[in-house]
Amino acid sequence: MIIRPHSSLPITLLLLSSLVSAQFNCHVNVNSLNFNLTKLAGEHAATRTRITPPSTMDDTLRFDLCADLKPQEGVAEADQCASGTRACFTKVNKKDGQSDRVVAVIPLVQSSSLNPRSTALSSPKGLALIFQGPSYPSLPSESPIPQYLNLTLLCAETASGPTFLSYNGSMVDVEWSHPAGCGVGDSSGGSEDENKGGEKKERVGSGIGWFFLVLLLAIIAYFALGAYYNYTTYGASGVDLIPHRDFWQEVPYMARDVISHLCSSVRPRRASARGGYIAV
Ligand SMILES: *[C@@H]1O[C@H](CO)[C@@H](O)[C@H](O)[C@H]1NC(C)=O
Ligand SMILES: *[C@@H]1O[C@H](CO)[C@@H](O)[C@H](O)[C@H]1NC(C)=O
Ligand SMILES: *[C@@H]1O[C@H](CO)[C@@H](O)[C@H](O)[C@H]1NC(C)=O
């Protein structure tokens, strides 16, 4: 009889999933909350306009958390982020009667170094993601300034568009209300009931696994210790090593009796058919 402990499967899956979530792949697991960000896939943009007479300045963040941005058509290559960028921040200056002028292009998230600092927010509920991009040149006398994207996903029933909050020369703050910001708990204290149900089922399953594992170990221990006892005490060998051998030899007959008794309660008990084999 081979019993595979059912419990090792969930443990393996758990180890595997924590390895996978170490690399950002549109799924974030933090504080035992799972955030499935695939609902946020696709290109999005958040813009703020600053009035800077005699012109206006459009600060725009284009981003796609789950894939690299596609090159923008009709925009010169120097006026957009290189390939392999997932979040690109641009400042575009607009002036009446003149064509738009891209004055800054700042990559904030690159797929080669995707490793956001993620924090689960409790009030309001949500997820804070901070990505670091390459440094951007500053004044000639100073060293380049590290650039960050601070994306705050707020848990909401309905999705709104992302909102550009601010840029202070180093960090772009974007806020987004979206159902994807509502984490799904994978332990008690989580939020979604259906998930808890699945979890409970798994726990019961692994409990059964443990029960059979312990039972198997007990059986093995019983036979091993019994054989050892028979060997040391009686110098037994071969079949005689089996502890309580007489009893175990009777087991098939007893099982047959029980089955035949159950199957045909009409017929008389068949115990006698064995012809007094019972060893007392
Ligand atoms: C995340 O959501 C997408 C659809 O929204 C689904 O196809 C995918 O299986 C989900 N991933 C996980 C790990 O739940
Ligand atoms: C990120 O932006 C939020 C506002 O959306 C702000 O409350 C938070 O402090 C910012 N995080 C950092 C590290 O600046
Ligand atoms: C911009 O804001 C971030 C977070 O609030 C802060 O850590 C950083 O020092 C600020 N940078 C500048 C240049 O003010």
Side-chain angles (χ1 to χ4, degrees):
M1 179 166 60
I2 296 171
I3 295 174
R4 231 171 260 273
H6 182 96
S7 51
S8 65
L9 184 65
I11 291 171
T12 315
L13 286 179
L14 204 73
L15 287 176
L16 216 65
S17 71
S18 63
L19 280 179
V20 167
S21 67
Q23 178 67 44
F24 184 79
N25 56 356
C26 250
H27 291 88
V28 174
N29 184 297
V30 57
N31 294 359
S32 64
L33 283 175
N34 284 308
F35 294 88
N36 184 349
L37 305 185
T38 49
K39 289 169 218 144
L40 303 179
E43 189 179 316
H44 301 273
T47 304
R48 74 165 174 188
T49 302
R50 288 179 289 142
I51 316 276
T52 52
S55 65
T56 57
M57 193 75 97
D58 274 1
D59 294 341
T60 301
L61 180 80
R62 285 200 311 132
F63 65 99
D64 182 348
L65 290 182
C66 304
D68 293 346
L69 290 169
K70 290 179 194 70
Q72 270 180 301
E73 286 191 22
V75 177
E77 207 176 311
D79 286 348
Q80 51 181 312
C81 290
S83 63
T85 301
R86 293 199 178 186
C88 185
F89 174 50
T90 53
K91 296 181 187 180
V92 178
N93 190 262
K94 301 186 176 215
K95 202 170 180 183
D96 277 346
Q98 293 180 22
S99 54
D100 296 353
R101 190 171 148 94
V102 178
V103 296
V105 175
I106 306 174
L108 292 178
V109 180
Q110 289 182 316
S111 44
S112 57
S113 58
L114 274 178
N115 207 359
R117 193 146 44 86
S118 29
T119 319
L121 308 172
S122 47
S123 61
K125 268 178 65 179
L127 173 69
L129 292 172
I130 296 186
F131 296 87
Q132 181 170 4
S135 296
Y136 190 74
S138 59
L139 298 173
S141 56
E142 290 166 22
S143 50
I145 301 174
Q147 302 293 317
Y148 301 91
L149 170 62
N150 169 18
L151 177 63
T152 306
L153 287 170
L154 295 174
C155 174
E157 270 179 31
T158 51
S160 67
T163 310
F164 194 111
L165 294 181
S166 61
Y167 176 64
N168 69 353
S170 165
M171 184 180 274
V172 171
D173 294 327
V174 169
E175 204 170 80
W176 197 358
S177 295
H178 198 285
C182 312
V184 176
D186 60 7
S187 71
S188 58
S191 46
E192 306 254 306
D193 289 341
E194 46 183 328
N195 198 61
K196 270 193 207 154
E199 159 100 10
K200 210 177 279 169
K201 220 180 277 167
E202 192 152 279
R203 248 186 229 155
V204 170
S206 72
I208 291 172
W210 279 111
F211 172 77
F212 278 113
L213 184 66
V214 169
L215 190 69
L216 180 69
L217 290 178
I219 290 170
I220 290 172
Y222 164 76
F223 279 104
L225 289 175
Y228 179 73
Y229 175 82
N230 284 346
Y231 177 73
T232 51
T233 313
Y234 307 113
S237 63
V239 198
D240 290 335
L241 281 174
I242 299 172
H244 306 115
R245 194 188 126 201
D246 293 342
F247 168 76
W248 291 115
Q249 279 179 332
E250 276 306 305
V251 166
Y253 298 110
M254 287 195 290
R256 197 186 63 184
D257 279 358
V258 168
I259 289 165
S260 64
H261 183 74
L262 289 178
C263 290
S264 59
S265 47
V266 190
R267 267 189 275 166
R269 276 190 70 204
R270 301 207 28 184
S272 55
R274 223 168 55 238
Y277 253 77
I278 285 186
V280 182

